[in-house]
Amino acid sequence: MSATLNAGRTRAALRTSARVSGELLLVLVAAAVVLWVLGRMWPVVWPLIIGLLLTTLTWPPARFLCRRGLAPALAASLVTVLFLLVAAGTVALIAVPVASEAGELADGVVEGVQRLREWAAGPPLNIDDAQIAGAFDTATARIQDSAGAIATTAVTGVSTVFSGVVTAVLALFLMFFFLKDGPRFLPWLGRQLPGRLATDVPAVAARCWDVLGSFVRSQALVGLLDAVFIGLGLWLLGVPLVLPLAVLTFVSAFVPIVGALFAGFVAVLIALVSNGLTDALLVLAVIVVVQQLEGNVFQPMIQSRGLGLHAAVVLLAVTLGGSLSGIVGSLLAVPVAALIAVVWNYLREQLSDPPLEPRADGPSA
Protein backbone atom coordinates (compact mmCIF):
# COMPACT_ATOMS: atom_id res chain seq x y z
CA MET A 1 0.00 0.00 0.00
CA SER A 2 1.53 3.34 -1.08
CA ALA A 3 1.99 6.08 1.50
CA THR A 4 -0.19 9.19 1.18
CA LEU A 5 1.13 12.73 1.42
CA ASN A 6 0.52 14.56 4.66
CA ALA A 7 -1.37 17.78 3.89
CA GLY A 8 0.10 19.71 6.81
CA ARG A 9 3.70 18.80 5.99
CA THR A 10 3.14 19.58 2.32
CA ARG A 11 1.78 23.06 3.09
CA ALA A 12 4.65 23.69 5.50
CA ALA A 13 7.22 22.62 2.88
CA LEU A 14 5.61 24.89 0.27
CA ARG A 15 5.53 27.83 2.67
CA THR A 16 9.18 27.27 3.59
CA SER A 17 10.17 27.02 -0.10
CA ALA A 18 8.26 30.22 -0.92
CA ARG A 19 9.83 32.08 2.01
CA VAL A 20 13.36 30.94 1.12
CA SER A 21 12.81 31.78 -2.57
CA GLY A 22 11.55 35.27 -1.66
CA GLU A 23 14.51 35.92 0.64
CA LEU A 24 16.95 34.64 -2.01
CA LEU A 25 15.32 36.88 -4.60
CA LEU A 26 15.73 39.89 -2.31
CA VAL A 27 19.40 39.03 -1.81
CA LEU A 28 19.92 38.78 -5.59
CA VAL A 29 18.17 42.12 -6.15
CA ALA A 30 20.37 43.73 -3.50
CA ALA A 31 23.48 42.24 -5.13
CA ALA A 32 22.36 43.55 -8.54
CA VAL A 33 21.85 47.03 -7.09
CA VAL A 34 25.32 46.96 -5.52
CA LEU A 35 26.88 45.88 -8.84
CA TRP A 36 24.96 48.62 -10.67
CA VAL A 37 26.21 51.26 -8.22
CA LEU A 38 29.78 49.96 -8.59
CA GLY A 39 29.42 50.16 -12.36
CA ARG A 40 28.30 53.79 -12.16
CA MET A 41 31.23 54.56 -9.86
CA TRP A 42 33.77 52.53 -11.85
CA PRO A 43 36.05 55.49 -12.76
CA VAL A 44 36.68 55.84 -9.01
CA VAL A 45 36.45 52.17 -8.03
CA TRP A 46 39.01 50.94 -10.60
CA PRO A 47 41.89 53.20 -9.41
CA LEU A 48 40.95 52.27 -5.83
CA ILE A 49 41.28 48.56 -6.64
CA ILE A 50 44.62 49.04 -8.40
CA GLY A 51 45.85 51.19 -5.53
CA LEU A 52 44.94 48.48 -3.03
CA LEU A 53 46.69 45.78 -5.08
CA LEU A 54 49.81 47.93 -5.39
CA THR A 55 49.69 48.64 -1.67
CA THR A 56 49.64 44.92 -0.85
CA LEU A 57 52.77 44.57 -2.99
CA THR A 58 54.62 47.51 -1.43
CA TRP A 59 53.38 47.26 2.16
CA PRO A 60 56.11 44.85 3.47
CA PRO A 61 59.01 47.30 2.84
CA ALA A 62 56.94 50.21 4.19
CA ARG A 63 56.15 48.24 7.34
CA PHE A 64 59.83 47.33 7.69
CA LEU A 65 60.84 51.01 7.51
CA CYS A 66 58.17 52.04 10.01
CA ARG A 67 59.35 49.39 12.47
CA ARG A 68 62.87 50.81 12.15
CA GLY A 69 61.64 54.17 13.43
CA LEU A 70 60.85 56.11 10.24
CA ALA A 71 57.78 58.31 10.18
CA PRO A 72 54.88 56.81 8.16
CA ALA A 73 54.92 59.68 5.66
CA LEU A 74 58.68 59.33 5.07
CA ALA A 75 58.45 55.53 4.76
CA ALA A 76 55.55 55.81 2.31
CA SER A 77 57.47 58.40 0.26
CA LEU A 78 60.61 56.25 0.09
CA VAL A 79 58.66 53.15 -0.91
CA THR A 80 56.69 55.07 -3.55
CA VAL A 81 59.88 56.48 -5.06
CA LEU A 82 61.47 53.02 -4.97
CA PHE A 83 58.41 51.56 -6.71
CA LEU A 84 58.64 54.20 -9.46
CA LEU A 85 62.35 53.49 -9.90
CA VAL A 86 61.71 49.74 -10.16
CA ALA A 87 58.93 50.34 -12.68
CA ALA A 88 61.13 52.67 -14.74
CA GLY A 89 64.01 50.20 -14.52
CA THR A 90 61.77 47.41 -15.72
CA VAL A 91 60.69 49.48 -18.73
CA ALA A 92 64.31 50.37 -19.45
CA LEU A 93 65.38 46.74 -19.11
CA ILE A 94 62.91 45.90 -21.85
CA ALA A 95 63.25 48.98 -24.06
CA VAL A 96 67.05 49.51 -24.16
CA PRO A 97 68.06 46.04 -25.45
CA VAL A 98 65.16 46.09 -27.92
CA ALA A 99 66.27 49.50 -29.20
CA SER A 100 69.85 48.25 -29.60
CA GLU A 101 68.60 45.30 -31.64
CA ALA A 102 66.04 47.35 -33.57
CA GLY A 103 68.13 47.50 -36.76
CA GLU A 104 68.70 43.75 -36.90
CA LEU A 105 65.07 43.09 -36.03
CA ALA A 106 63.90 45.42 -38.79
CA ASP A 107 66.14 43.67 -41.30
CA GLY A 108 64.80 40.35 -40.05
CA VAL A 109 61.21 41.51 -40.52
CA VAL A 110 61.95 42.58 -44.10
CA GLU A 111 63.68 39.27 -44.77
CA GLY A 112 60.77 37.39 -43.20
CA VAL A 113 58.27 39.22 -45.42
CA GLN A 114 60.39 38.44 -48.48
CA ARG A 115 60.53 34.74 -47.51
CA LEU A 116 56.78 34.77 -47.06
CA ARG A 117 56.30 36.22 -50.55
CA GLU A 118 58.62 33.62 -52.05
CA TRP A 119 56.78 30.84 -50.24
CA ALA A 120 53.41 32.18 -51.41
CA ALA A 121 54.69 32.33 -55.02
CA GLY A 122 55.54 28.63 -54.99
CA PRO A 123 53.30 25.57 -54.79
CA PRO A 124 50.68 24.97 -53.61
CA LEU A 125 49.54 28.62 -53.49
CA ASN A 126 51.27 29.89 -56.67
CA ILE A 127 50.46 33.53 -55.90
CA ASP A 128 52.42 35.85 -58.20
CA ASP A 129 53.47 39.46 -57.56
CA ALA A 130 50.58 40.84 -59.58
CA GLN A 131 48.06 39.16 -57.31
CA ILE A 132 49.90 40.39 -54.24
CA ALA A 133 49.96 43.93 -55.63
CA GLY A 134 46.24 43.70 -56.44
CA ALA A 135 45.47 42.54 -52.91
CA PHE A 136 47.56 45.41 -51.54
CA ASP A 137 45.69 47.94 -53.72
CA THR A 138 42.35 46.50 -52.59
CA ALA A 139 43.40 46.75 -48.94
CA THR A 140 44.56 50.34 -49.50
CA ALA A 141 41.22 51.25 -51.07
CA ARG A 142 39.31 49.73 -48.17
CA ILE A 143 41.46 51.64 -45.68
CA GLN A 144 40.76 54.88 -47.55
CA ASP A 145 37.03 54.15 -47.59
CA SER A 146 37.14 53.47 -43.86
CA ALA A 147 39.08 56.60 -42.99
CA GLY A 148 36.27 57.95 -40.84
CA ALA A 149 35.96 54.77 -38.82
CA ILE A 150 39.74 54.60 -38.41
CA ALA A 151 39.82 58.19 -37.17
CA THR A 152 37.06 57.43 -34.68
CA THR A 153 38.95 54.35 -33.49
CA ALA A 154 42.14 56.38 -33.14
CA VAL A 155 40.37 59.03 -31.07
CA THR A 156 38.87 56.29 -28.92
CA GLY A 157 42.30 54.73 -28.48
CA VAL A 158 43.83 58.08 -27.47
CA SER A 159 40.99 58.56 -24.97
CA THR A 160 41.60 55.06 -23.59
CA VAL A 161 45.32 55.71 -23.19
CA PHE A 162 44.62 59.02 -21.46
CA SER A 163 42.12 57.32 -19.15
CA GLY A 164 44.72 54.65 -18.38
CA VAL A 165 47.31 57.30 -17.51
CA VAL A 166 44.85 59.09 -15.21
CA THR A 167 43.96 55.77 -13.56
CA ALA A 168 47.63 54.94 -13.02
CA VAL A 169 48.33 58.35 -11.47
CA LEU A 170 45.32 58.11 -9.15
CA ALA A 171 46.29 54.58 -8.15
CA LEU A 172 49.82 55.74 -7.36
CA PHE A 173 48.59 58.57 -5.13
CA LEU A 174 46.14 56.20 -3.41
CA MET A 175 48.96 53.74 -2.82
CA PHE A 176 50.98 56.48 -1.12
CA PHE A 177 48.10 57.44 1.18
CA PHE A 178 47.32 53.79 1.96
CA LEU A 179 50.95 53.20 2.90
CA LYS A 180 51.03 56.33 5.06
CA ASP A 181 47.67 56.04 6.80
CA GLY A 182 46.80 52.36 6.39
CA PRO A 183 47.39 51.18 9.99
CA ARG A 184 45.15 53.97 11.29
CA PHE A 185 42.25 53.18 8.97
CA LEU A 186 40.72 50.20 10.76
CA PRO A 187 40.68 51.83 14.22
CA TRP A 188 39.14 54.94 12.66
CA LEU A 189 36.55 52.79 10.86
CA GLY A 190 35.66 51.02 14.08
CA ARG A 191 35.00 54.36 15.81
CA GLN A 192 32.61 55.43 13.05
CA LEU A 193 30.38 52.35 13.18
CA PRO A 194 27.69 51.61 15.74
CA GLY A 195 27.23 48.55 17.90
CA ARG A 196 28.53 45.22 16.74
CA LEU A 197 29.51 46.60 13.34
CA ALA A 198 32.40 48.37 15.05
CA THR A 199 33.90 44.92 15.69
CA ASP A 200 32.70 42.89 12.70
CA VAL A 201 33.58 45.25 9.84
CA PRO A 202 37.22 45.89 10.90
CA ALA A 203 37.70 42.15 11.51
CA VAL A 204 36.43 41.27 8.02
CA ALA A 205 38.47 44.11 6.48
CA ALA A 206 41.65 42.82 8.13
CA ARG A 207 41.05 39.31 6.78
CA CYS A 208 40.31 40.69 3.31
CA TRP A 209 43.58 42.61 3.41
CA ASP A 210 45.50 39.43 4.19
CA VAL A 211 43.76 37.66 1.29
CA LEU A 212 44.65 40.45 -1.16
CA GLY A 213 48.28 40.22 -0.08
CA SER A 214 48.25 36.46 -0.68
CA PHE A 215 46.76 37.00 -4.14
CA VAL A 216 49.42 39.48 -5.23
CA ARG A 217 52.26 37.33 -3.87
CA SER A 218 50.91 34.19 -5.54
CA GLN A 219 50.45 36.02 -8.85
CA ALA A 220 54.03 37.26 -8.65
CA LEU A 221 55.25 33.71 -7.99
CA VAL A 222 53.30 32.41 -10.99
CA GLY A 223 54.78 35.16 -13.17
CA LEU A 224 58.27 34.31 -11.93
CA LEU A 225 57.81 30.65 -12.85
CA ASP A 226 56.59 31.65 -16.33
CA ALA A 227 59.53 33.99 -16.82
CA VAL A 228 62.10 31.40 -15.69
CA PHE A 229 60.80 28.51 -17.81
CA ILE A 230 60.10 30.56 -20.95
CA GLY A 231 63.39 32.44 -20.58
CA LEU A 232 65.24 29.12 -20.22
CA GLY A 233 63.58 27.81 -23.37
CA LEU A 234 64.50 30.96 -25.31
CA TRP A 235 68.09 30.75 -24.09
CA LEU A 236 68.43 27.10 -25.11
CA LEU A 237 67.09 27.94 -28.58
CA GLY A 238 69.48 30.87 -28.97
CA VAL A 239 66.79 33.51 -29.33
CA PRO A 240 68.09 37.08 -28.76
CA LEU A 241 66.73 39.46 -26.10
CA VAL A 242 66.17 36.65 -23.59
CA LEU A 243 66.29 38.90 -20.52
CA PRO A 244 63.84 41.55 -21.85
CA LEU A 245 61.45 38.81 -22.97
CA ALA A 246 61.64 37.13 -19.57
CA VAL A 247 60.94 40.44 -17.81
CA LEU A 248 58.04 41.11 -20.18
CA THR A 249 56.65 37.65 -19.42
CA PHE A 250 56.84 38.32 -15.67
CA VAL A 251 55.13 41.71 -15.92
CA SER A 252 52.43 40.48 -18.30
CA ALA A 253 51.52 37.66 -15.88
CA PHE A 254 49.60 40.22 -13.81
CA VAL A 255 47.21 40.74 -16.74
CA PRO A 256 45.46 37.40 -17.37
CA ILE A 257 44.92 36.06 -20.90
CA VAL A 258 45.91 39.18 -22.88
CA GLY A 259 49.23 39.56 -21.07
CA ALA A 260 50.28 36.00 -21.84
CA LEU A 261 49.14 36.31 -25.46
CA PHE A 262 51.05 39.56 -25.93
CA ALA A 263 54.28 38.29 -24.37
CA GLY A 264 54.05 35.04 -26.35
CA PHE A 265 53.41 36.89 -29.60
CA VAL A 266 56.46 39.11 -29.08
CA ALA A 267 58.69 36.13 -28.29
CA VAL A 268 57.52 34.16 -31.33
CA LEU A 269 57.93 37.21 -33.60
CA ILE A 270 61.50 37.85 -32.45
CA ALA A 271 62.36 34.16 -32.86
CA LEU A 272 60.87 34.21 -36.37
CA VAL A 273 62.78 37.25 -37.62
CA SER A 274 66.07 36.27 -35.96
CA ASN A 275 66.25 32.46 -36.02
CA GLY A 276 63.77 31.38 -38.66
CA LEU A 277 60.49 29.49 -38.82
CA THR A 278 61.68 26.31 -37.11
CA ASP A 279 62.86 28.04 -33.94
CA ALA A 280 59.73 30.21 -33.96
CA LEU A 281 57.57 27.09 -33.91
CA LEU A 282 59.71 25.63 -31.12
CA VAL A 283 59.31 28.86 -29.12
CA LEU A 284 55.57 28.70 -29.69
CA ALA A 285 55.53 25.11 -28.42
CA VAL A 286 57.51 26.09 -25.30
CA ILE A 287 55.14 28.99 -24.57
CA VAL A 288 52.05 26.84 -25.06
CA VAL A 289 53.39 24.13 -22.73
CA VAL A 290 54.38 26.62 -20.03
CA GLN A 291 51.07 28.48 -20.29
CA GLN A 292 49.14 25.22 -20.01
CA LEU A 293 51.16 24.25 -16.95
CA GLU A 294 50.55 27.69 -15.47
CA GLY A 295 46.82 27.76 -16.12
CA ASN A 296 46.09 24.17 -15.10
CA VAL A 297 48.78 23.35 -12.52
CA PHE A 298 50.84 26.24 -11.13
CA GLN A 299 48.22 28.95 -10.77
CA PRO A 300 45.40 26.84 -9.29
CA MET A 301 47.78 25.10 -6.84
CA ILE A 302 49.60 28.24 -5.68
CA GLN A 303 46.51 30.44 -5.47
CA SER A 304 44.41 27.75 -3.85
CA ARG A 305 46.98 27.41 -1.05
CA GLY A 306 47.50 31.14 -0.58
CA LEU A 307 43.82 32.11 -0.80
CA GLY A 308 42.19 29.12 0.83
CA LEU A 309 40.29 28.22 -2.35
CA HIS A 310 40.11 24.88 -4.10
CA ALA A 311 41.93 24.73 -7.45
CA ALA A 312 38.64 24.00 -9.24
CA VAL A 313 37.11 27.14 -7.69
CA VAL A 314 40.02 29.22 -9.02
CA LEU A 315 39.55 27.85 -12.54
CA LEU A 316 35.78 28.39 -12.47
CA ALA A 317 36.18 31.90 -11.06
CA VAL A 318 38.58 32.96 -13.82
CA THR A 319 36.31 31.47 -16.49
CA LEU A 320 33.20 33.16 -15.09
CA GLY A 321 34.95 36.51 -14.59
CA GLY A 322 36.31 36.49 -18.13
CA SER A 323 32.91 35.67 -19.62
CA LEU A 324 31.18 38.42 -17.62
CA SER A 325 33.69 41.29 -17.77
CA GLY A 326 36.53 40.31 -20.09
CA ILE A 327 40.09 41.12 -19.02
CA VAL A 328 39.06 43.06 -15.93
CA GLY A 329 36.80 40.20 -14.87
CA SER A 330 39.62 37.68 -15.30
CA LEU A 331 41.97 39.89 -13.28
CA LEU A 332 39.54 40.40 -10.40
CA ALA A 333 37.80 37.01 -10.43
CA VAL A 334 40.15 35.19 -8.07
CA PRO A 335 40.51 37.95 -5.43
CA VAL A 336 36.75 38.60 -5.50
CA ALA A 337 36.07 34.87 -5.00
CA ALA A 338 38.57 34.84 -2.12
CA LEU A 339 36.94 37.89 -0.51
CA ILE A 340 33.51 36.27 -0.81
CA ALA A 341 34.92 33.18 0.88
CA VAL A 342 36.34 35.36 3.69
CA VAL A 343 32.97 37.02 4.31
CA TRP A 344 31.15 33.67 4.16
CA ASN A 345 33.55 32.02 6.62
CA TYR A 346 33.23 34.94 9.03
CA LEU A 347 29.44 34.78 8.86
CA ARG A 348 29.57 31.04 9.54
CA GLU A 349 31.78 31.63 12.55
CA GLN A 350 29.41 34.23 13.95
CA LEU A 351 26.24 32.23 13.27
CA SER A 352 27.52 28.86 14.44
CA ASP A 353 26.90 27.54 17.92
CA PRO A 354 30.01 27.05 20.05
CA PRO A 355 31.12 23.40 20.25
CA LEU A 356 29.76 21.56 23.23
CA GLU A 357 32.39 20.54 25.72
CA PRO A 358 32.20 16.91 26.85
CA ARG A 359 30.64 16.63 30.26
CA ALA A 360 32.94 15.16 32.88
CA ASP A 361 30.78 12.56 34.62
CA GLY A 362 32.00 11.25 37.93
CA PRO A 363 32.40 7.56 38.67
CA SER A 364 29.15 5.75 39.18
CA ALA A 365 28.27 4.91 42.73
Side-chain angles (χ1 to χ4, degrees):
M1 181 177 179
S2 61
T4 58
L5 292 176
N6 183 284
R9 292 181 179 178
T10 302
R11 285 193 299 268
L14 289 176
R15 283 195 298 267
T16 302
S17 300
R19 177 175 56 82
V20 172
S21 299
E23 293 172 351
L24 181 60
L25 183 60
L26 289 176
V27 171
L28 293 177
V29 170
V33 171
V34 170
L35 292 177
W36 180 81
V37 172
L38 290 178
R40 301 293 294 179
M41 299 174 58
W42 191 248
V44 177
V45 174
W46 182 230
L48 178 62
I49 293 174
I50 296 179
L52 283 173
L53 294 177
L54 293 179
T55 305
T56 59
L57 189 64
T58 55
W59 173 242
R63 179 178 55 190
F64 174 80
L65 293 177
C66 288
R67 289 178 176 176
R68 293 299 181 274
L70 268 70
L74 180 57
S77 301
L78 291 176
V79 172
T80 302
V81 172
L82 179 62
F83 175 79
L84 290 175
L85 290 177
V86 171
T90 302
V91 174
L93 193 62
I94 297 175
V96 172
V98 171
S100 64
E101 298 283 344
E104 296 182 8
L105 291 177
D107 295 339
V109 170
V110 173
E111 183 181 355
V113 171
Q114 182 62 31
R115 289 181 181 178
L116 183 62
R117 293 184 62 179
E118 294 175 356
W119 173 77
L125 298 180
N126 297 319
I127 301 176
D128 56 16
D129 290 340
Q131 291 174 310
I132 296 176
F136 180 77
D137 293 339
T138 302
T140 303
R142 289 184 178 179
I143 292 175
Q144 292 174 349
D145 294 337
S146 305
I150 293 174
T152 303
T153 304
V155 172
T156 304
V158 171
S159 176
T160 303
V161 171
F162 178 75
S163 176
V165 171
V166 172
T167 299
V169 173
L170 285 176
L172 191 63
F173 276 102
L174 288 173
M175 182 191 77
F176 168 77
F177 288 117
F178 290 154
L179 291 174
K180 183 174 75 72
D181 301 324
R184 295 182 290 180
F185 175 72
L186 290 182
W188 173 86
L189 182 62
R191 292 192 298 268
Q192 310 307 311
L193 297 173
R196 185 172 176 177
L197 291 177
T199 302
D200 292 338
V201 173
V204 173
R207 295 188 185 187
C208 291
W209 173 257
D210 294 337
V211 166
L212 286 178
S214 298
F215 166 73
V216 173
R217 288 189 294 270
S218 62
Q219 198 69 23
L221 181 57
V222 170
L224 180 62
L225 290 175
D226 283 353
V228 169
F229 286 116
I230 292 179
L232 181 61
L234 296 176
W235 178 72
L236 291 176
L237 292 173
V239 177
L241 304 176
V242 174
L243 183 58
L245 290 175
V247 174
L248 179 63
T249 301
F250 172 77
V251 174
S252 63
F254 289 91
V255 183
I257 303 175
V258 172
L261 290 176
F262 174 73
F265 172 76
V266 173
V268 172
L269 178 62
I270 291 178
L272 177 63
V273 301
S274 61
N275 292 29
L277 181 60
T278 301
D279 284 352
L281 293 176
L282 292 175
V283 169
L284 178 61
V286 170
I287 292 174
V288 169
V289 170
V290 173
Q291 292 298 330
Q292 290 299 314
L293 288 175
E294 176 215 324
N296 297 293
V297 179
F298 297 149
Q299 191 171 30
M301 289 179 59
I302 294 173
Q303 290 188 343
S304 63
R305 292 178 181 178
L307 303 180
L309 297 175
H310 193 273
V313 175
V314 174
L315 289 175
L316 292 176
V318 172
T319 303
L320 179 60
S323 63
L324 292 178
S325 301
I327 301 172
V328 176
S330 299
L331 176 63
L332 300 180
V334 176
V336 167
L339 295 181
I340 292 174
V342 167
V343 175
W344 173 254
N345 290 331
Y346 186 83
L347 289 175
R348 287 188 59 187
E349 292 175 6
Q350 301 304 312
L351 297 177
S352 300
D353 293 326
L356 296 177
E357 296 183 0
R359 185 175 57 183
D361 295 331
S364 59

